[in-house]
Amino acid sequence: MWKGSLSLGTEYTDTKRKSYSSGFGELIGQSNDKILDRNAAVFMGYNASIGQINTNIGLRYEHVAYDFYENGKIQKDKSKVYDNLFPSLTLNFNVAATNLSLAYNIRTVRPAYEMLSSAVRYGNRLTYLAGTPNLQPTYINSINGGLLWRNLNVQIGYNHYKDDIFFATDQLDSDPSISINRFANVRSRNEMAASVSYSPTFGIWQPSVSVTSITQWLDIELGHKPKNMNGTILYFNMGNALQLPAGFLLRIDGNYSSDGNFQNRHMKSSWFMNVSLNKEFAGGKWNVLLEGNDLFHTMRDASWFYDRQTVQYRATKDNTRQIKLTITYRFNHKENRYKGTGAGNDEQQRL
């Protein structure tokens, strides 16, 4: 059509999820809920080249009917109908040897079904876990710009989150010393991300270095007073790929993340290092991968959580130091061009 091509499509998912919880002795009662979620979407995209500028314009319409049942009865106050338009616009153009890009889109992230359950579960004597059936999806307005020159890639973007989903804490009415952890919506949050990556090649050595910063602007309530959660987190990644004789690929990769604020969390720094050796056989049908992950056992997830009347510190250090051997055989090595594009993948992840 005109100087480009127009594509149209549709997608439909129908999900039924049942959840039953037996409770915990006399402390927590039983629960029995069911969710029916139907999502019908139509979308179109137009791609055209005008001079040196490649343009892609997209529009997606979604109609979602979400019904929530407790003990077999529909709960009107927790059931919702969503009708939304999601536009997108992408521009790409070249200036000499440099590729420039500019993109704008609106997208949504819907909560996982486990977050929507009515069940309350026993964590320990001071902590219960609960779902939030009326949790709303998050809508994200994004604008992004990029520059690609040879092996240098620079990206910068700004995101506005409406109804962002946070980890929240309530106190049990009958015993305020017991915390109920759940998820809740926060009206808005703003975030800017910037990254620089460089990936040269020196003979058999292909190093890659990337630095990413994520800055947020957010005020929350803590102890009936505003608390500023503005701040920046830095991520540093160093990768090394070595093409060895006989088709072996050796990788040595390291990753570091700094202290910083994300949503209502103050995250502690962490780092790790991985090593792997990879080899393909029979034209790619067989693949053997030997990995050594988190060699120094330094990976951790430690955060301070702030929410209204509660401050929590959580630190998790899993058994991430490991040696893995993976052998893969591809029965159908050539891609099947009739295979679908994955309708419903996001819905499966929510489950």
Side-chain angles (χ1 to χ4, degrees):
M1 179 180 288
W2 192 46
K3 296 185 178 183
S5 60
L6 178 70
S7 60
L8 303 170
T10 183
E11 182 177 283
Y12 179 74
T13 62
D14 192 316
T15 304
K16 178 171 69 174
R17 182 187 190 273
K18 291 184 177 180
S19 175
Y20 172 78
S21 173
S22 61
F24 188 82
E26 298 180 356
L27 298 176
I28 300 174
Q30 297 180 352
S31 68
N32 185 356
D33 61 50
K34 180 177 69 173
I35 293 174
L36 301 180
D37 190 287
R38 284 90 61 200
N39 185 330
V42 293
F43 47 89
M44 60 165 287
Y46 182 72
N47 189 38
S49 295
I50 304 174
Q52 296 295 317
I53 302 177
N54 183 271
T55 304
N56 186 284
I57 302 172
L59 185 64
R60 179 184 178 94
Y61 166 75
E62 285 188 0
H63 172 80
V64 179
Y66 169 82
D67 293 329
F68 187 86
Y69 294 79
E70 280 186 317
N71 299 316
K73 296 182 179 180
I74 190 168
Q75 306 297 305
K76 293 294 186 180
D77 59 326
K78 299 173 183 177
S79 301
K80 304 290 182 182
V81 175
Y82 303 99
D83 289 287
N84 298 108
L85 285 172
F86 301 104
S88 64
L89 172 65
T90 303
L91 302 174
N92 284 282
F93 51 95
N94 295 317
V95 178
T98 303
N99 178 263
L100 302 174
S101 63
L102 182 65
Y104 171 76
N105 67 77
I106 299 176
R107 65 187 190 278
T108 184
V109 177
R110 302 192 66 201
Y113 282 103
E114 192 67 21
M115 298 180 183
L116 299 167
S117 173
S118 63
V120 178
R121 290 168 293 172
Y122 184 88
N124 55 57
R125 65 187 182 86
L126 295 177
T127 305
Y128 297 167
L129 309 173
T132 309
N134 59 354
L135 196 63
Q136 296 300 301
T138 300
Y139 296 94
I140 309 172
N141 279 263
S142 299
I143 184 167
N144 299 277
L147 179 150
L148 179 62
W149 179 75
R150 296 183 180 178
N151 299 313
L152 179 67
N153 190 346
V154 180
Q155 300 285 330
I156 187 167
Y158 178 83
N159 300 317
H160 173 73
Y161 295 81
K162 179 181 179 296
D163 291 327
D164 202 9
I165 298 175
F166 280 25
F167 184 82
T169 303
D170 292 325
Q171 293 172 294
L172 192 66
D173 292 337
S174 59
D175 187 351
S177 67
I178 297 177
S179 298
I180 302 179
N181 293 329
R182 66 174 80 240
F183 289 89
N185 292 114
V186 171
R187 186 166 58 89
S188 67
R189 182 174 71 91
N190 296 303
E191 176 185 271
M192 178 172 286
S195 67
V196 179
S197 62
Y198 184 59
S199 305
T201 300
F202 304 101
I204 65 170
W205 179 35
Q206 295 178 319
S208 62
V209 180
S210 67
V211 179
T212 301
S213 70
I214 299 179
T215 303
Q216 77 167 8
W217 292 269
L218 174 69
D219 288 316
I220 63 173
E221 180 184 325
L222 182 66
H224 301 293
K225 297 180 180 179
K227 179 175 177 57
N228 186 290
M229 293 296 294
N230 297 350
T232 300
I233 300 178
L234 292 176
Y235 298 92
F236 176 79
N237 181 272
M238 177 66 184
N240 298 275
L242 294 166
Q243 294 285 348
L244 302 181
F248 285 93
L249 177 65
L250 173 66
R251 292 198 60 90
I252 304 173
D253 303 316
N255 183 281
Y256 168 79
S257 59
S258 72
D259 281 30
N261 295 333
F262 174 72
Q263 294 187 335
N264 59 335
R265 301 165 61 187
H266 178 76
M267 304 172 64
K268 306 294 287 184
S269 63
S270 181
W271 69 279
F272 62 89
M273 180 172 288
N274 300 332
V275 175
S276 67
L277 186 65
N278 187 62
K279 167 71 174 172
E280 288 189 343
F281 299 91
K285 285 188 175 181
W286 287 94
N287 184 281
V288 179
L289 176 63
L290 178 63
E291 300 173 274
N293 296 321
D294 193 16
L295 296 181
F296 300 99
H297 204 199
T298 52
M299 186 184 296
R300 67 171 181 169
D301 181 9
S303 303
W304 289 94
F305 290 85
Y306 303 99
D307 186 56
R308 291 173 291 182
Q309 302 297 317
T310 306
V311 177
Q312 289 188 28
Y313 178 73
R314 291 187 167 203
T316 302
K317 197 169 187 179
D318 294 324
N319 297 321
T320 49
R321 182 163 56 179
Q322 56 188 215
I323 295 176
K324 293 174 60 178
L325 176 64
T326 305
I327 300 175
T328 305
Y329 178 75
R330 298 181 177 90
F331 288 93
N332 186 12
H333 181 51
K334 294 184 179 180
E335 184 180 352
N336 186 345
R337 64 175 181 169
Y338 298 105
K339 186 178 180 181
T341 57
N345 282 345
D346 289 345
E347 190 69 3
Q348 293 176 53
Q349 290 298 319
R350 294 180 66 208
L351 286 166

